[in-house]
Amino acid sequence: MELTVLLAFTVASALISLAPGPDMMFIIANGIARGRRAGVIAALGMSTGIAIHTVAAAAGLGALLAAAPVALDVMRILGAVFLVYLAIATLRASRKAAAAPETPVPQRSLRKMYAMAVLTNLSNPKVILFYLAFFPQFIHQPGWPAWVQFLVLGGILICVGLCVDATVGFVSGALSEFLVRRPAIRRWMDRVSAAIFGALAVRLVANPQ
């Protein structure tokens, strides 16, 4: 592939990654609720989901799913349900902290949080549609099979996105850890995280395109 094409794609990927979206809001919500490590782990989970989407797109599964609107609708609804579950779980944690301030609230394991981030990304059908709309503009390079070009571009997108998302997760987590010295602030930050999860669920259902 030509260097100019790769550079153009890298710049485009950086601009897309910097634009606030559902993945970034999910990462911020986890960083606010659970600290720096949680924010970075959520970013890693999102990047893993993107990697799976990349392989699926290279194998032609993205086009197949896009041709089956029912499958995309099912993914969208499941993603919304999952986000509602996260919102409720976070609110319950906040209420437990309010009822018993001296009792530590069980923390979600980092492994479970990573899995949640992966599932959240995979359940968003807009990622598939993004691949189908964005990647073909850069996949007309002679001498390279289309699936190889998909994987190369996907790798660039993952690296750029992970740098941006991990930074966002770290910063939001650091801010959280700075503010959590007061239990009241901790509870409000949990509620903000729950509100973000709930808003993402509503967005997923209300904006199918």
Side-chain angles (χ1 to χ4, degrees):
M1 298 179 70
E2 295 182 6
L3 181 59
T4 54
V5 174
L6 295 178
L7 289 175
F9 183 84
T10 301
V11 172
S13 297
L15 293 175
I16 291 170
S17 298
L18 287 169
D23 286 4
M24 184 178 289
M25 295 307 295
F26 182 90
I27 292 166
I28 291 173
N30 277 283
I32 289 175
R34 299 291 178 261
R36 289 174 292 181
R37 285 199 301 171
V40 174
I41 289 297
L44 287 171
M46 289 295 176
S47 293
T48 302
I50 292 293
I52 295 173
H53 277 298
T54 299
V55 174
L61 296 180
L64 181 61
L65 285 174
V70 174
L72 290 176
D73 285 340
V74 170
M75 291 176 62
R76 183 165 53 86
I77 297 302
L78 289 176
V81 170
F82 183 65
L83 287 167
V84 169
Y85 159 75
L86 290 180
I88 294 173
T90 305
L91 272 180
R92 290 180 64 186
S94 175
R95 289 175 180 173
K96 286 181 180 179
E102 302 301 326
T103 303
V105 178
Q107 297 292 305
R108 191 179 301 134
S109 73
L110 294 179
R111 182 178 300 179
K112 185 176 181 181
M113 188 173 297
Y114 170 82
M116 287 180 172
V118 175
L119 290 174
T120 299
N121 182 272
L122 292 178
S123 65
N124 186 358
K126 293 183 180 180
V127 178
I128 298 174
L129 300 179
F130 165 77
Y131 267 82
L132 296 178
F134 183 58
F135 274 45
Q137 304 173 53
F138 301 89
I139 296 185
H140 296 294
Q141 305 302 308
W144 289 68
W147 66 271
V148 173
Q149 296 183 55
F150 251 109
L151 294 179
V152 171
L153 297 179
I156 293 174
L157 179 64
I158 291 167
C159 291
V160 173
L162 179 58
C163 289
V164 173
D165 290 343
T167 300
V168 170
F170 184 89
V171 170
S172 61
L175 178 62
S176 168
E177 292 170 5
F178 177 74
L179 295 175
V180 293
R181 296 169 186 172
R182 299 183 62 181
I185 294 178
R186 164 83 279 164
R187 291 193 295 272
W188 275 106
M189 292 175 72
D190 280 341
R191 291 166 188 169
V192 168
S193 297
I196 292 175
F197 291 137
L200 291 176
V202 172
R203 182 180 185 274
L204 199 56
V205 172
N207 298 283
Q209 299 302 325

